[in-house]
Amino acid sequence: MADPLELWFEFASTYSYPAVMRAAQAAEGAGVTLVWRPFLLGPIFRAQGWNDSPFNLQPAKGRYMWRDLERLCARYGLPFRRPSGFPRNGLLAARVAVLPEVESWRPDFVRAVFHAEFAEDRDIGEEEAIAAVLAALGRDARRLLAAAGCPPNKQRLRRQTEAAVALGIFGAPTFVSGQELFWGNDRLEEAVAWHQGHREVD
């Protein structure tokens, strides 16, 4: 079985939005298996001395990013509404996304959360917003939210974030093919092509 291409993303990350919306189709078209890896950028940023998104800390960079995201979404045909608060708190969504029982429908959940955040300006940091996403997917929101908040699952997300650090990940989205890192939505196609040509098959 071929090694999968890993998609590491953060729910608060603006450029993760177009990446997660496009990744499955790009990977499928190339015959590449995609694995979805939610993690938290907050601890990574704090380790660099940042207490906020670099897009807020550097206003000129932030202005560019929002206009760039508008252009990208128009290009890809993705709905976009600039969030009234940024960055959103993606902790709860990430805890749900790492639940083992979510694995089979994780991509649907991830895309739905990003749509709620960047197309509908819903505050994904609020339990009600995540519950609504889960209900729309036909899932038991109350049970899943309770499971997401259990200590073993909180530790699961911490370990996943630590794994991201160990890989050398510093931003989102990041695609990982073996030892190769591809950072950014604009590296999606390159990552898929690289993985297609360099993956190992048992």
Side-chain angles (χ1 to χ4, degrees), residues 91-172:
L91 177 60
L92 178 59
R95 284 176 174 168
V96 172
V98 297
L99 284 168
E101 63 191 287
V102 171
E103 182 177 2
S104 63
W105 48 277
R106 184 172 291 132
D108 291 334
F109 173 72
V110 171
R111 286 187 291 259
V113 171
F114 273 101
H115 180 87
E117 180 180 12
F118 290 105
E120 300 176 343
D121 187 21
R122 292 161 63 186
D123 187 352
I124 63 165
E126 297 294 332
E127 185 173 303
E128 293 79 4
I130 302 303
V133 167
L134 290 167
L137 293 172
R139 307 295 171 173
D140 187 339
R142 179 177 296 182
R143 181 179 61 81
L144 289 166
L145 289 171
C150 288
N153 193 62
K154 291 180 179 180
Q155 183 60 31
R156 184 177 291 113
L157 179 58
R158 281 193 289 269
R159 288 197 303 268
Q160 186 125 301
T161 299
E162 290 167 358
V165 173
L167 286 168
I169 292 174
F170 54 87

Side-chain angles (χ1 to χ4, degrees), residues 29-108:
V32 167
T33 300
L34 190 66
V35 175
W36 300 66
R37 305 285 194 211
F39 74 108
L40 299 178
L41 274 173
I44 294 174
F45 286 171
R46 286 194 291 274
Q48 299 179 63
W50 300 344
N51 61 3
D52 199 350
S53 165
F55 293 124
N56 288 339
L57 294 173
Q58 303 175 50
K61 187 174 185 179
R63 287 191 296 272
Y64 171 84
M65 178 275 294
W66 289 118
R67 181 60 188 136
D68 189 42
L69 194 60
E70 289 176 345
R71 291 192 301 257
L72 287 172
C73 289
R75 173 185 174 186
Y76 300 137
L78 296 173
F80 175 71
R81 182 187 301 174
R82 178 173 171 173
S84 52
F86 175 77
R88 297 293 197 194
N89 186 341
L91 177 60
L92 178 59
R95 284 176 174 168
V96 172
V98 297
L99 284 168
E101 63 191 287
V102 171
E103 182 177 2
S104 63
W105 48 277
R106 184 172 291 132
D108 291 334

